[in-house]
Amino acid sequence: MQQRQVELAVGVFILLGIIALAFLALKVSGLSFQDSRTQTYTVVAEFNNIGSLKPRAKVSIAGVTVGQVTSIRLDPLSARAVVEMAINKDVDYLTTDSIAGIKTAGVLGEQYISISVGGAPDVLEDGGKIIDTQSAVVLEDLIGKFLTNMGSKD
Amino acid sequence: MLKHIQALGAWGLGVTAGLGRATQIWCRALFALPDFRYGPRLLIQQIYYVGVFSMIIIVVSGVLIGMVLALQGYTVLVRFGAEAALGQFVSLTLLRELGPVVAALLFAGRAGSALTAEIGLMKTTEQLVAMEMIGVDPLRRVLRPRLLAGILSMPLLAQVFNAVAIWGAVMVGVHWLGVDAGSFWSNMQSSVDFSADVMNGFIKSVVFGLVVTWIAVFQGYDAEPTSAGISAATTRTVVHSSLAVLALDFFLTAVMFGIS
Amino acid sequence: MHSSSNWIEIRNLSYRRSESRWIFKDVDMNIERNKITAIMGPSGCGKTTLLKLISGQLKPDQGTVMVDGVNVSALDRDGLLALRRRMGLLFQNGALFTDLSVYENVAFPLRVHTKLPEDMIRDLVLMKLQAVGLRGARDLMPSELSGGMARRVALARTIILDPELIMYDEPFAGQDPILKGVLLDLIKRINENIHATTILVSHDVAETASIADYIFVLAGGRIIGQGTPDEVMNSEDPMVRQFLRGLPDGPVPFHYPAASWQDDLVGGRG
């Protein structure tokens, strides 16, 4: 009788712990079983400057998230940053002439990749490469340009 | 002068001997053949005392800490117009640090001290010797289920703490202060990584559970069998395990998050 | 090595608590099978320590304790636990498990050492509780028992496995006269019924002498007298006489060793 109550309480306790972990996994970290690796394909893009882009940054088309950055490395030959992205499988209309740009969400926000889809007839396969890229806007460069322009006007 | 050096030496020897005894107890208690007949029942009973009894303090503290975090985070973030990042701030703080650490400190105060007092009293009233005289090893019968219960309960308690704390933060941040619910959650989800943040916090809480119950059980078993001895041992449990949790937290954080 | 009539043989046993405080020095003792052997002596003479040495809770500094032909101090932990299953020790305060009921306390040794079905455990437990007169108290918790009842429950737990050796540590201390009689009767009956070797540690002279087959009198770390109750009671040894007749001072000193009283008084002023 008493042992049953103890067992029941312990069962509820363990269940609560598992529910809490599930909540943290699904709701807080956004882990979803549908976006697993099998349902994405990889696209690569090279940038002159990625600013402060980090792995797991969003990849979006027209503001809608369609994937995330999986890895960033430096290509030793060209000395450019190679960014690998995992794009959701259902987004199968990235044309070969798409443009990938690094944008900033707000003034202090995180950086993310925005892709503009072009009009070419061929679409990117798994492992395909976006040729046309726009590097991150670096605030210091912008200010520098602005100042030199001011100087040349005088 | 020589006297002080001698005292230092005696202290060092004492600490080393204590660590040795603690390790010996731990090994003898855990590395033994499992008892299939009464083992599960004893373990469930101890999870009840160690885990279930700690739920109330964990839940209440969790909600309050989540609420405070949201309030404090909001007042700072709103100055930069970045209150949408509240979810990120609260969840990362909780999952990586506050959740495992605060839950472990509460656990040490609630369950650790109770374990020490219980085992110390069993020693004082000769129950442990009586058990040995019956031919039962108290390390396996008394200490082992308590150690296992602590190691199992602590991560569960820490996850519950995190979950209710985030709920408390939502209450304050979204429902009271009016942060947009959509950006709160999406910001949280884009910044929290399951394996890096949730699982590392989980691993931390397993380590803390192990260390806190180990200290508690050892202090009880090693207590001087008098009333003063038990009270001193209970105090030592809370002090030692709190310090151990904080020191280990730094170490684990350095290993898990330090190099990126 | 060991003769068949001696269940316990103690040879040259020495034990000290600190560098200079010897509890025992070169003690030899034979305890016969199936007999009630009493160990008597003034408080603090190491009677309880002797029980701890026999049950292997303490290791002697010198000498050997042989129990049924086995050297206790040479056993490892598991060997010791196995040996103790054949022994029972009744503690001064009972040492009942406070988280278990009376019934579960008595059933505890059966549950851990046998695989008996529940109804047989029940029969055995009730039988032993009946023997100590506490069958009706089976559902009480130890905190609800009086000191005398707790000791009787502990006795039932001690004898549940029918041990070959039963040790009683001061069973009469702090008991009322009725209970002393009850316990004496129980000890005697248990010794006869389960043919256990019995060691009775006590300083209650009359009670002990009435049931013991053989008595050792300890004082100052030595055996100062031994023999049947009659021999010991009629001993001419001044120390034994002092102890048995309850004289306040004599060869067994009333004072703990100290500097002379006069020196202490004068020294305190200086």
Side-chain angles (χ1 to χ4, degrees):
Chain A
M1 180 61 195
Q2 222 207 332
Q3 181 66 20
R4 267 195 56 195
Q5 283 173 358
V6 170
E7 282 169 6
L8 199 69
V10 170
V12 170
F13 169 64
I14 292 175
L15 205 64
L16 279 177
I18 292 170
I19 289 172
L21 186 62
F23 166 77
L24 295 178
L26 300 178
K27 188 81 180 164
V28 176
S29 71
L31 190 75
S32 154
F33 296 106
Q34 288 185 327
D35 296 7
S36 56
R37 209 161 282 274
T38 51
Q39 252 129 351
T40 61
Y41 66 101
T42 306
V43 171
V44 182
E46 281 187 11
F47 294 91
N48 286 327
N49 191 333
I50 56 161
S52 61
L53 189 78
K54 289 195 176 64
R56 296 198 307 112
K58 275 195 296 190
V59 177
S60 68
I61 298 174
V64 180
T65 305
V66 295
Q68 64 174 10
V69 173
T70 49
S71 78
I72 298 171
R73 63 190 158 78
L74 194 63
D75 182 45
L77 288 177
S78 64
R80 297 173 85 199
V82 180
V83 175
E84 228 176 70
M85 293 165 267
I87 309 291
N88 295 350
K89 262 266 154 69
D90 52 350
V91 184
D92 52 1
Y93 38 79
L94 287 186
T95 54
T96 45
D97 63 344
S98 296
I99 305 166
I102 298 177
K103 301 280 166 62
T104 308
V107 182
L108 295 168
E110 296 243 318
Q111 286 190 307
Y112 66 97
I113 292 181
S114 171
I115 299 177
S116 324
V117 182
D122 300 326
V123 293
L124 289 167
E125 301 288 315
D126 186 32
K129 188 170 179 181
I130 298 177
I131 313 288
D132 202 350
T133 61
Q134 294 171 346
S135 289
V137 178
V138 180
L139 210 57
E140 290 90 325
D141 294 353
L142 212 63
I143 294 168
K145 262 183 206 160
F146 179 69
L147 288 177
T148 46
N149 281 352
M150 293 273 283
S152 65
K153 266 181 192 169
D154 286 342
Chain B
M1 185 61 201
L2 216 60
K3 219 174 182 181
H4 292 296
I5 294 174
Q6 190 192 348
L8 184 71
W11 177 81
L13 284 176
V15 169
T16 316
L19 276 177
R21 279 201 306 280
T23 311
Q24 203 186 2
I25 284 171
W26 194 70
C27 291
R28 276 216 308 253
L30 287 187
F31 300 122
L33 283 177
D35 171 11
F36 292 109
R37 216 145 49 107
Y38 296 109
R41 197 177 149 161
L42 288 171
L43 179 61
I44 285 173
Q45 218 145 30
Q46 286 312 318
I47 294 180
Y48 182 69
Y49 289 126
V50 168
V52 177
F53 278 21
S54 305
M55 272 299 264
I56 293 174
I57 188 173
I58 288 286
V59 168
V60 173
S61 320
V63 172
L64 289 173
I65 284 183
M67 289 164 72
V68 167
L69 273 182
L71 200 54
Q72 289 283 15
Y74 181 83
T75 53
V76 174
L77 290 172
V78 79
R79 282 191 224 161
F80 305 103
E83 64 267 31
L86 188 63
Q88 173 184 356
F89 165 73
V90 168
S91 57
L92 286 184
T93 313
L94 279 169
L95 291 172
R96 289 183 175 181
E97 290 300 329
L98 279 186
V101 170
V102 175
L105 294 179
L106 292 171
F107 184 75
R110 170 66 189 78
S113 58
L115 279 178
T116 304
E118 188 195 12
I119 294 173
L121 211 59
M122 286 174 97
K123 186 179 180 186
T124 309
T125 54
E126 294 186 303
Q127 291 182 51
L128 297 182
V129 184
M131 206 169 268
E132 280 188 28
M133 283 307 302
I134 291 169
V136 175
D137 190 344
L139 292 173
R140 287 173 207 162
R141 175 83 189 189
V142 177
L143 268 57
R144 175 200 178 95
R146 284 165 175 77
L147 271 173
L148 289 176
I151 297 170
L152 285 175
S153 300
M154 186 66 246
L156 294 176
L157 288 170
Q159 300 322 305
V160 171
F161 183 93
N162 282 336
V164 295
I166 287 172
W167 179 77
V170 171
M171 283 290 128
V172 168
V174 175
H175 297 283
W176 181 32
L177 298 172
V179 175
D180 177 58
S183 61
F184 182 92
W185 287 111
S186 70
N187 234 307
M188 193 188 280
Q189 288 175 1
S190 68
S191 58
V192 175
D193 181 68
F194 181 72
S195 66
D197 298 319
V198 179
M199 282 328 282
N200 274 345
F202 189 86
I203 292 168
K204 273 187 179 182
S205 61
V206 173
V207 174
F208 294 163
L210 193 150
V211 169
V212 170
T213 29
W214 183 18
I215 291 175
V217 158
F218 169 70
Q219 289 294 355
Y221 192 76
D222 208 46
E224 197 193 322
T226 59
S227 338
I230 292 175
S231 90
T234 312
T235 310
R236 273 202 302 275
T237 292
V238 176
V239 172
H240 288 189
S241 47
S242 302
L243 292 178
V245 163
L246 293 171
L248 268 173
D249 182 51
F250 177 77
F251 177 75
L252 288 174
T253 304
V255 171
M256 288 169 174
F257 304 106
I259 316 120
S260 67
Chain C
M1 188 73 191
H2 77 106
S3 67
S4 60
S5 70
N6 290 339
W7 213 70
I8 298 176
E9 294 183 341
I10 295 172
R11 294 283 171 269
N12 304 324
L13 177 74
S14 294
Y15 180 78
R16 59 184 170 189
R17 191 149 289 164
S18 59
E19 277 303 310
S20 57
R21 243 195 105 203
W22 290 88
I23 306 293
F24 296 114
K25 218 158 170 142
D26 284 334
V27 170
D28 287 294
M29 215 179 247
N30 290 326
I31 290 170
E32 275 185 64
R33 201 179 284 271
N34 302 345
K35 293 276 168 60
I36 298 180
T37 304
I39 295 167
M40 306 180 74
S43 303
C45 72
K47 299 187 296 287
T48 305
T49 309
L50 185 65
L51 294 187
K52 288 187 175 172
L53 286 162
I54 291 172
S55 57
Q57 294 172 48
L58 298 174
K59 285 202 189 306
D61 290 305
Q62 277 163 37
T64 54
V65 177
M66 306 286 286
V67 175
D68 198 20
V70 178
N71 185 351
V72 175
S73 55
L75 288 173
D76 63 359
R77 196 175 172 82
D78 287 324
L80 212 52
L81 289 175
L83 177 67
R84 286 178 187 160
R85 280 172 212 176
R86 300 162 57 197
M87 300 177 170
L89 170 59
L90 183 69
F91 287 84
Q92 275 187 46
N93 62 11
L96 294 176
F97 303 132
T98 42
D99 54 337
L100 299 179
S101 67
V102 165
Y103 178 92
E104 286 299 324
N105 258 290
V106 180
F108 183 85
L110 286 176
R111 291 199 194 281
V112 292
H113 290 317
T114 70
K115 289 186 164 46
L116 294 176
E118 190 57 40
D119 53 340
M120 201 180 280
I121 289 181
R122 193 187 123 90
D123 290 348
L124 283 168
V125 170
L126 292 185
M127 201 166 84
K128 301 293 183 187
L129 280 175
Q130 173 75 13
V132 296
L134 289 173
R135 191 163 46 83
R138 71 185 108 160
D139 293 326
L140 297 181
M141 294 304 283
S143 55
E144 299 170 285
L145 301 174
S146 72
M149 284 161 83
R151 207 167 296 186
R152 283 191 281 160
V153 173
L155 181 55
R157 186 181 67 186
T158 309
I159 59 174
I160 189 82
L161 286 174
D162 291 344
E164 295 164 60
L165 169 71
I166 306 180
M167 294 176 276
Y168 299 90
D169 190 1
E170 302 282 8
F172 313 119
Q175 304 284 6
D176 63 51
I178 304 172
L179 219 63
K180 276 188 190 175
V182 169
L183 282 168
L184 272 177
D185 188 46
L186 278 173
I187 293 169
K188 184 100 186 133
R189 280 218 323 263
I190 289 164
N191 176 251
E192 282 162 3
N193 290 348
I194 65 178
H195 302 293
T197 308
T198 303
I199 301 178
L200 179 58
V201 162
S202 177
H203 49 228
D204 292 81
V205 176
E207 285 82 1
T208 311
S210 69
I211 56 165
D213 295 308
Y214 200 82
I215 295 178
F216 289 95
V217 183
L218 293 179
R222 294 183 300 113
I223 296 173
I224 57 169
Q226 56 176 299
T228 60
D230 280 344
E231 286 167 16
V232 172
M233 292 304 270
N234 297 324
S235 166
E236 293 300 317
D237 186 278
M239 282 171 102
V240 177
R241 279 164 65 102
Q242 186 206 350
F243 175 70
L244 293 179
R245 302 203 179 149
L247 306 173
D249 216 348
V252 179
F254 166 65
H255 291 290
Y256 193 83
S260 95
W261 184 216
Q262 201 178 354
D263 290 351
D264 241 5
L265 282 174
V266 175
R269 299 237 171 103

